[in-house]
């Protein structure tokens, strides 16, 4: 760097420091006039104001002279190392090639220019980088061999990594998918190692990544890296997670400081906010985007323009730019580039698992393709004959044609979170969907998108759970279902253009139009019973179309055939999704099961009514199937590792739209050290309503943590997606073990002395039963009763309580040793939550006496008999592990605030506090109550503050267009 260049740096940096932090970025961009290298140099020195101040204390001319004499150090010895040539220089130091005279090898030596050796902050920073590298002994991180000091000049002795930087590789254009996956996985492994020690790189970019001739990747330059406390995390210290998955504590910089290179920095870096491991993941997303497309994710003529793009713009998906990018990898990149940290992968470990899965899927496909090509080449004539025979066989038997390749899918939405429940207007020109996590009902907003490439627009802005948007026959409005905490299912409508949502029909869900004046919808009766009815638009002339047999059966969704003679039903039984049903619309019979054997969550008809389509998990995970009306053999339309739910058929019958993606969940522990991830692989969660009530995952004293882990596909959607293998983590030693291997557990309770566990598990047909086992001998588990039951809890004196299901409804039962179950309360309950620590109260959700209002209530039933006590309208009740305090979880209608968890102290000898007579109906009812802890979200508090457990879930789904093969 020339003296003139350093004079420019000095001048701009000095002027920038006279301005407020928030105004510096814009000033630097203007002053550098598009010179990105100059801008980067100024920003690197501005990164910490103390360092910058020290820099300014050195005359620019002296600094320029010092750095301009690079050749003076050539030939100089630093311990056993002899400097041979200059490799590069920057704001963080100068790097030279040197020869190790003792071990006869070349190394890289990074020195701090002599002009800075008297500056304590710069020395501390230099030594910190040395310690960070020493802590990071990993094959994909450039190694450090030592720290030398010669004549007061400190020097880092580093591994010399030969080969081009990733930036140099990208000068020739994008890399192949396999190359991109290989590089991304190695970078992720390097970040995983750094994040395990609480270290955040903060400057991940192609020029800091080297790719050797053998394809090995090395992550370099930890000069901006920090951890939670600004130091190095020693084994066993606060930042040491050892699990490989926990995000470290945020690294804090000087207020207003912007660290990192502009085009790869995260939104939180651009705003000068705290950073954590997910900051590195955003930068990796920007790198991977460029690797796959050959162009940066965020661009601009000036630094403010780039920062504005990072903060406000979403780049087109990699697959939109380059069609060769696989769908799954496209989704990974867009998840990494989410503006909000919570929407990204939670850890490098999660990302690594996803990259490995994608690579394995691609490898399996390539192996299959290679084998198939070899066979074709070897027996071409035989294959031709066989192909003709298969074609003839398909003509006569209906064996399905191969499903469309994923490369043929067209991505319609490009959200970093989730888009579900697609529906098309009658002419196929408009798409509506829900931007929300669940494919059933979900907290989210109704969106409208003009096809093929219009900008999605939100039509609602509220916190309600929503389901099943449908267009009116004239496409002027969209009907959708809302579901509140009282399980009231209502139909709302919103105009397509410039309108406000309004309530149309109460107690009506899954509504669709049969014509301009006739509608089809589901109606809730007693308890949870739900039937399908038809009526006119004013809800007159109501007639039953399909009424399920049992009180806990719910027919949630209905799809009329084009000629309005038949209806496809997606229904639950207690409450498990069943195979879809085909019924006559006049209600003369209960019809028959159709589609593949398995659980069906949605359906559709072809425009001519000759084909029925289903979203079913018959093959082990949810995919699209079809069947010729009325009783042809089912054939699978889609395959792959992702799942497809929701079906919208194009009017021309050539394609369908569906939501493709998956969900992840993990268990996190919060204590005085911050947050850390406890679960490892799989979908980890704490069971809850409807199959479990309230679960206490922590043991007394907060020593052990219990949770469920689901691996692979869901066999029983509804109840089955809440089933898993029970695991226990010792929070003192971090050791983990499977507690009940072989059992598909949906709910459990551990005795307060830690000796026994009672649990509900699914049998082969999806029904659940109650089991009891010693915690130290799970193989001795025994089934307690044949009744279909869930939500088990220990009471006093050896009693076990659970919710049992009969034809008349659901009741709380008491089970005592060697006795048949007996009803513990005569009132029908919707959900059984828990038992008070003293065994005196049973907590349950019941339907209010005025069932027509749709209100529910949480009641405490005394086990000794007597009248129940009203606790709240819509909350969860629990106790801390020792039973010393009451836990109340309150829901909220604010979609940005999913709930609050309150801890209330108890008087000696009382299991309940003195609540208002009507219970807790709003936060105003808490006035006057002593609240020990008030925590955002639904969490599980421990006995000691600030301990609590939380389940964190991320979902990524988008709407895709899937081409349909010609029917056989």
């Amino acid at each position: 760097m020339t003296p003139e260049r350093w004079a420019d740096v000095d001048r701009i940096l000095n002027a920038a420091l006279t301005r407020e932090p928030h105004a510096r970025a814009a000033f630097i961009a203007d002053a550098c006039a598009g010179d990105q290298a100059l801008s980067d140099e100024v920003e690197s020195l501005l990164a910490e104001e103390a360092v910058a101040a020290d820099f300014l204390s050195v005359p620019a001319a002296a600094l320029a002279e010092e750095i301009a004499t690079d050749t003076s150090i050539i030939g100089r010895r630093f311990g056993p190392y002899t400097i041979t040539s200059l490799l590069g220089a920057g704001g963080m130091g100068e790097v030279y090639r040197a020869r190790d005279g003792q071990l006869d090898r070349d190394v890289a030596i990074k020195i701090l220019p002599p002009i800075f050796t008297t500056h304590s902050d710069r020395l501390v920073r230099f030594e910190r980088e040395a310690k960070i590298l020493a802590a990071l002994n990993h094959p994909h991180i450039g190694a450090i061999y030592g720290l030398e000091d010669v004549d007061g000049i400190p020097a880092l002795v580093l591994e010399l990594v030969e080969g081009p930087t990733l930036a140099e590789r990208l000068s020739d254009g994008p890399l192949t998918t396999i190359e991109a996956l290989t590089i991304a996985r190695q970078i992720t492994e390097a970040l995983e190692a750094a994040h395990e020690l609480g270290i955040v790189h903060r400057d991940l970019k192609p020029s800091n990544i080297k790719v050797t001739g053998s394809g090995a990747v090395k992550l370099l330059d930890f000069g901006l890296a920090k951890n939670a406390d600004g130091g190095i995390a020693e084994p066993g210290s606060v930042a040491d997670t050892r699990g490989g998955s926990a995000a470290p504590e945020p690294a804090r910089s000087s207020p207003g400081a912007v660290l990192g290179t502009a085009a790869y920095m995260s939104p939180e870096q651009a705003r000068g906010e705290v950073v954590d491991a997910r900051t590195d993941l955003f930068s990796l997303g920007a790198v991977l985007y460029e690797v796959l497309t050959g162009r940066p994710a965020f661009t601009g003529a000036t630094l403010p323009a780039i920062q504005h793009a990072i903060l406000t713009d979403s780049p087109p998906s990699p697959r939109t730019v380059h069609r060769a990018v696989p769908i799954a990898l496209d989704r990974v990149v867009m998840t990494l580039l989410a503006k909000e940290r919570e929407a990204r992968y939670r850890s490098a470990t999660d990302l690594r698992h996803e990259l490995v899965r994608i690579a394995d899927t691609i490898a399996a496909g390539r192996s299959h393709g290679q084998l198939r090509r070899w066979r074709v080449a070897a027996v071409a004539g035989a294959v031709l004959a066989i192909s003709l025979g298969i074609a003839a066989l398909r003509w006569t038997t209906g064996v399905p044609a191969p499903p469309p390749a994923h490369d043929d899918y067209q991505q319609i939405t490009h959200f970093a979170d989730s888009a579900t429940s697609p529906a098309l207007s009658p002419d196929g020109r408009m798409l509506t969907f829900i931007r929300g996590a669940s494919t059933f009902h979900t907290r989210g907003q109704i969106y409208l998108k003009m096809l093929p490439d219009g900008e999605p627009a939100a039509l609602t802005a509220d916190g309600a759970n929503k389901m099943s948007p449908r267009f009116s026959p004239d496409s002027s409005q969209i009907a959708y279902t809302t579901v509140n905490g009282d399980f009231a299912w209502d139909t709302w409508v919103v105009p397509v253009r410039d309108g406000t949502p309004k309530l149309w029909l109460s107690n009506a869900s899954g509504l669709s139009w049969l014509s301009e004046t006739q509608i089809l919808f589901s109606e809730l009766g007693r308890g949870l019973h739900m039937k399908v009815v038809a009526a006119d638009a004013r809800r007159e002339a109501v007639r039953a179309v399909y009424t399920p047999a049992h009180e806990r059966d719910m027919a949630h969704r209905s799809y009329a055939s084009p000629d309005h003679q038949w209806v496809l039903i997606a229904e639950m039984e207690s409450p498990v999704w069943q195979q879809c049903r085909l019924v006559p619309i006049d209600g003369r019979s209960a019809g028959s099961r159709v589609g593949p054997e398995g659980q069906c969550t949605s359906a559709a008809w072809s425009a001519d009514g000759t084909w029925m389509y289903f979203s079913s998990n018959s093959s082990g995970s949810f995919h699209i199937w079809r069947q010729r009306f009325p009783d042809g053999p089912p054939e699978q339309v889609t395959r792959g590792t992702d799942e497809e739910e929701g079906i919208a058929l194009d009017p021309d019958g050539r394609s369908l739209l569906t939501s493709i993606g998956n969900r992840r969940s993990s268990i996190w522990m919060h204590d005085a050290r911050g947050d850390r991830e406890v679960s490892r692989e799989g979908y980890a969660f704490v069971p809850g309503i409807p199959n479990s009530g309230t679960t206490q995952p922590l043991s007394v004293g907060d020593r052990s943590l219990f949770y469920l882990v689901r691996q692979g596909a869901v066999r029983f959607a509804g109840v089955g997606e809440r089933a898993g293998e029970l695991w226990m983590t010792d929070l003192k030693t971090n050791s983990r073990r499977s507690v009940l291997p072989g059992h598909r557990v949906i709910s459990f309770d551990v005795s307060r002395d830690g000796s026994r566990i009672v649990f509900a598990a699914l049998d082969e047909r999806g029904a659940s039963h109650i089991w009891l086992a010693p915690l130290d001998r799970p193989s001795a588990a025994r089934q307690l009763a044949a009744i279909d039951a869930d939500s088990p809890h220990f009471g006093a004196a050896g009693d076990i309580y659970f919710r049992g299901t009969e034809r008349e409804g659901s009741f709380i039962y008491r089970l005592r040793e060697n006795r048949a179950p007996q009803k513990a309360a005569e009132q029908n309950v919707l959900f059984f939550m828990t038992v008070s620590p003293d065994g005196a109260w049973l907590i349950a959700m019941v339907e209010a006496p005025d069932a027509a209002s749709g209100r529910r209530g949480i009641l405490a039933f005394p086990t000794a008999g007597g009248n129940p006590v009203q606790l709240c309208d819509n909350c969860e009740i629990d106790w801390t592990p020792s039973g010393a305090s009451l836990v109340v979880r309150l829901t909220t209608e604010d979609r940005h605030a999913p709930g609050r968890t309150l801890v209330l102290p108890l008087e000696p000898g009382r299991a309940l506090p003195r609540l208002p007579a009507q219970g807790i109906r709003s936060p105003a009812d808490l006035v006057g109550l002593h609240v020990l802890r008030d925590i955002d979200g639904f969490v599980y508090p421990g006995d000691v503050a600030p301990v609590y457990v939380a389940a964190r879930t991320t979902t990524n789904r988008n709407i895709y267009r899937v081409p349909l093969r010609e029917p056989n």
Side-chain angles (χ1 to χ4, degrees):
M1 184 173 292
T2 65
E4 292 77 14
R5 187 70 162 180
W6 275 109
D8 288 340
V9 173
D10 181 14
R11 174 179 52 80
I12 296 172
L13 183 60
N14 188 27
L17 285 170
T18 64
R19 287 161 169 78
E20 292 296 324
H22 69 271
R24 291 173 182 170
F27 168 77
I28 293 172
D30 291 338
C32 293
D35 188 336
Q36 189 63 48
L38 178 60
S39 175
D40 289 346
E41 195 65 47
V42 173
E43 286 191 330
S44 71
L45 294 171
L46 188 64
E48 290 186 4
E49 292 181 24
V51 175
D54 282 352
F55 169 77
L56 288 178
S57 67
V58 181
L63 179 61
E65 181 181 357
E66 185 73 39
I67 297 183
T69 57
D70 290 333
T71 56
S72 65
I73 206 167
I74 305 301
R76 191 167 181 174
R77 291 180 61 86
F78 283 77
Y81 309 102
T82 302
I83 303 296
T84 59
S85 63
L86 175 68
L87 295 176
M92 304 307 297
E94 303 160 10
V95 182
Y96 295 86
R97 178 188 291 268
R99 188 67 179 173
D100 183 345
Q102 290 183 337
L103 299 179
D104 195 26
R105 62 179 177 179
D106 283 346
V107 298
I109 288 188
K110 182 175 183 178
I111 70 168
L112 188 63
I115 199 69
F116 288 130
T117 56
T118 60
H119 298 258
S120 60
D121 289 318
R122 185 59 72 95
L123 282 171
V124 167
R125 191 176 197 155
F126 202 70
E127 291 172 357
R128 185 178 68 217
E129 182 179 2
K131 292 180 180 179
I132 286 175
L133 290 174
L136 294 174
N137 181 18
H138 192 273
H140 298 308
I141 296 176
I144 185 171
Y145 299 145
L147 177 62
E148 298 287 340
D149 189 305
V150 175
D151 298 332
I153 301 176
L156 304 183
V157 183
L158 308 170
E159 175 186 5
L160 179 64
V161 183
E162 303 282 10
T165 66
L166 185 55
E168 292 167 337
R169 286 282 302 272
L170 290 174
S171 63
D172 295 327
L175 306 185
T176 67
T177 297
I178 298 302
E179 289 176 314
L181 277 170
T182 301
I183 290 172
R185 179 181 55 79
Q186 294 180 71
I187 299 172
T188 303
E189 291 174 359
L191 292 177
E192 189 176 11
H195 296 167
E196 279 189 1
L197 296 179
I199 297 168
V200 186
H201 189 282
R202 299 200 297 178
D203 195 22
L204 189 66
K205 56 186 176 183
S207 60
N208 280 341
I209 299 165
K210 281 259 192 172
V211 184
T212 68
S214 64
V217 169
K218 295 281 187 177
L219 180 58
L220 308 177
D221 198 350
F222 279 75
L224 288 181
K226 273 190 177 182
N227 75 339
D229 56 7
I232 303 303
E234 300 294 343
S237 72
V238 170
D240 180 31
T241 63
R242 295 299 176 204
S245 300
E249 288 293 307
R252 297 183 179 270
S253 303
S254 301
V258 177
L259 297 99
T261 303
Y264 306 96
M265 68 173 58
S266 66
E268 55 269 24
Q269 282 177 292
R271 289 188 293 262
E273 298 174 350
V274 297
V275 300
D276 60 17
R278 294 165 295 182
T279 297
D280 283 346
L281 296 185
F282 183 95
S283 299
L284 177 55
V287 170
L288 187 52
Y289 186 98
E290 189 168 351
V291 167
L292 290 168
T293 66
R295 71 187 200 187
F298 304 101
T299 59
T302 63
L303 175 62
I306 296 174
Q307 290 179 320
H308 183 269
I310 290 171
L311 291 172
T312 62
D313 298 341
S314 292
S317 71
R319 185 172 169 82
T320 302
V321 178
H322 192 24
R323 290 287 295 172
V325 177
I327 291 173
L329 191 54
D330 180 274
R331 188 179 66 250
V332 166
V333 174
M334 298 310 289
T335 300
L336 290 170
L337 292 178
K339 305 297 184 190
E340 299 299 327
R341 278 180 271 199
E342 291 72 17
R344 301 172 205 156
Y345 290 95
R346 297 197 180 280
S347 67
T349 302
D350 288 350
L351 173 60
R352 176 173 56 82
H353 290 323
E354 183 71 4
L355 293 173
V356 170
R357 185 186 67 80
I358 294 171
D360 289 347
T361 300
I362 292 175
R366 293 178 70 193
S367 298
H368 176 74
Q370 290 169 353
L371 178 61
R372 186 168 63 86
R373 286 191 294 272
W374 178 84
R375 287 173 175 168
V376 168
V379 290
V383 167
L384 177 61
I386 291 171
S387 299
L388 292 174
I390 289 175
L393 184 63
R394 284 181 178 151
W395 180 262
T396 58
T397 65
V399 174
H406 277 205
D407 285 349
D408 295 336
Y409 294 5
Q410 177 188 0
Q411 188 168 353
I412 303 299
T413 65
H414 299 83
F415 293 109
D417 42 23
S418 185
T420 65
S421 306
L424 285 169
S425 60
D427 61 6
R429 298 174 60 187
M430 291 186 290
L431 167 70
T432 184
F433 58 90
I434 301 176
R435 187 175 179 182
S438 174
T439 58
F440 185 19
H441 59 78
T442 183
R443 188 184 294 265
Q445 306 307 327
I446 303 295
Y447 272 72
L448 177 73
K449 178 182 174 73
M450 299 297 296
L451 297 177
D453 52 9
E455 187 71 19
L459 302 183
T460 62
D462 56 64
N465 279 279
K466 300 179 179 68
M467 185 183 83
S468 301
R470 305 277 184 90
F471 279 96
S472 62
D474 63 359
S475 301
S476 66
Q477 56 185 340
I478 296 168
Y480 61 94
T481 302
T482 63
V483 188
N484 68 16
D486 291 324
F487 289 90
W489 306 72
D490 301 324
T491 292
W492 290 62
V493 289
V494 58
V496 168
R497 300 184 185 278
D498 302 327
T500 301
K502 64 178 181 180
L503 177 65
W504 180 16
L505 296 175
S506 297
N507 190 16
S509 68
L511 183 144
S512 60
W513 278 268
L514 297 171
S515 67
E516 293 283 356
T517 59
Q518 297 293 311
I519 54 178
L520 186 70
F521 57 92
S522 296
E523 190 174 69
L524 191 66
R526 175 181 171 82
L528 297 178
H529 190 259
M530 183 178 284
K531 64 183 178 181
V532 177
V533 301
D536 61 26
R538 293 181 296 178
R539 202 174 192 160
E540 296 178 353
V542 178
R543 56 183 176 83
V545 173
Y546 170 65
T547 303
H550 303 299
E551 184 163 328
R552 287 181 57 79
D553 296 350
M554 306 182 76
H556 277 294
R557 292 167 172 162
S558 54
Y559 309 86
S561 61
D563 62 5
H564 297 168
Q565 297 301 306
W566 298 89
V567 179
L568 289 170
I569 307 287
E571 61 180 332
M572 286 183 175
E573 291 182 4
S574 299
V576 181
W577 287 106
Q578 302 296 308
Q579 189 175 354
C580 265
R581 181 181 295 273
L582 176 67
V583 303
I585 200 167
D586 59 13
R588 66 180 182 271
S589 76
S592 60
R593 300 291 189 187
V594 289
E597 292 186 5
Q599 294 178 289
C600 176
T601 57
S602 57
W605 294 84
S606 62
D608 60 4
T610 59
W611 287 90
M612 302 175 290
Y613 286 80
F614 311 95
S615 181
S616 170
N617 67 349
S618 177
S619 60
S621 56
F622 278 95
H623 296 296
I624 306 301
W625 292 69
R626 67 182 173 187
Q627 177 182 7
R628 191 178 291 276
F629 174 81
D631 54 7
E635 62 179 58
Q636 190 169 345
V637 176
T638 61
R639 289 179 170 85
T641 54
D642 289 326
E643 294 192 308
E644 301 89 28
E645 287 194 73
I647 309 168
L649 265 295
D650 265 333
D652 61 11
R654 296 179 180 178
S655 63
L656 61 83
L657 272 65
T658 185
S659 177
I660 301 180
N662 51 45
R663 291 191 303 164
R664 302 176 184 84
S665 180
S666 56
I667 302 298
W668 288 70
M669 179 79 176
H670 177 86
D671 56 20
R673 299 179 295 174
D675 291 341
R676 70 180 187 276
E677 192 174 24
V678 176
S679 59
R680 290 179 182 258
E681 299 183 9
Y683 187 95
F685 60 102
V686 177
I689 288 176
N691 308 113
S692 175
T694 306
T695 299
Q696 176 52 263
L698 285 164
S699 66
V700 176
D702 306 333
R703 178 176 179 85
S704 299
L705 175 57
F706 297 85
Y707 51 93
L708 300 183
V709 177
R710 188 176 73 236
Q711 301 280 5
V714 177
R715 181 172 181 186
F716 300 104
V719 64
E721 67 184 5
R722 301 181 182 94
E725 187 176 10
L726 181 64
W727 279 73
M728 181 185 77
T729 294
D730 186 313
L731 296 174
K732 306 303 180 184
T733 65
N734 284 330
S735 61
R736 300 171 175 85
R737 68 180 178 90
S738 174
V739 178
L740 297 167
H743 290 281
R744 288 173 293 175
V745 178
I746 61 172
S747 51
F748 64 87
D749 189 30
V750 178
S751 62
R752 292 189 181 274
D753 63 3
S755 65
R756 297 183 301 162
I757 183 167
V758 62
F759 61 97
L762 299 180
D763 63 16
E764 289 302 316
R765 62 185 179 87
S768 62
H769 304 288
I770 304 301
W771 296 69
L772 180 68
L775 201 54
D776 59 349
R777 288 185 299 113
S779 60
R782 58 189 178 91
Q783 186 174 326
L784 297 183
I787 185 174
D788 287 358
D790 57 29
S791 308
H793 292 279
F794 284 107
D799 289 347
I800 292 174
Y801 295 89
F802 59 86
R803 182 182 68 162
T805 302
E806 301 178 353
R807 296 182 68 90
E808 296 79 15
S810 297
F811 299 88
I812 303 174
Y813 286 83
R814 175 191 289 114
L815 190 63
R816 291 178 172 171
E817 195 72 22
N818 301 321
R819 296 184 186 180
Q822 294 181 327
K823 286 184 180 178
E826 290 299 322
Q827 186 167 349
N828 195 329
V829 303
L830 295 175
F831 306 114
F832 174 38
M833 288 189 169
T834 189
V835 182
S836 62
D838 59 4
W841 299 95
L842 308 175
I843 313 301
M845 176 183 285
V846 302
E847 192 169 27
D850 56 336
S853 70
R855 296 184 66 86
R856 268 68 174 172
I858 309 299
L859 301 185
F861 292 89
T863 55
N867 294 325
V869 174
Q870 179 83 22
L871 298 181
C872 55
D873 276 357
N874 187 20
C875 72
E876 283 190 8
I877 296 295
D878 194 8
W879 281 265
T880 52
S882 66
S885 300
L886 184 76
V887 178
V888 181
R889 301 183 185 92
L890 293 174
T891 60
T892 175
E893 291 301 315
D894 181 359
R895 69 185 181 95
H896 297 294
R900 294 167 60 194
T901 299
L902 309 174
V903 180
L904 309 178
L906 296 173
E907 299 174 15
R910 293 183 60 92
L912 294 171
R914 302 181 189 277
L915 299 174
Q918 77 279 7
I920 302 171
R921 293 189 172 183
S922 71
D925 294 321
L926 296 170
V927 176
L929 294 177
H930 182 200
V931 178
L932 289 176
R933 301 166 68 184
D934 187 343
I935 309 168
D936 286 339
F938 271 33
V939 302
Y940 303 88
D943 282 326
V944 179
V947 171
Y948 64 79
V949 172
R952 297 180 180 176
T953 302
T954 57
T955 304
N956 182 252
R957 305 183 68 96
N958 269 294
I959 310 297
Y960 287 80
R961 186 184 300 278
V962 177
L964 295 174
R965 305 294 188 193
E966 287 296 323
N968 299 305

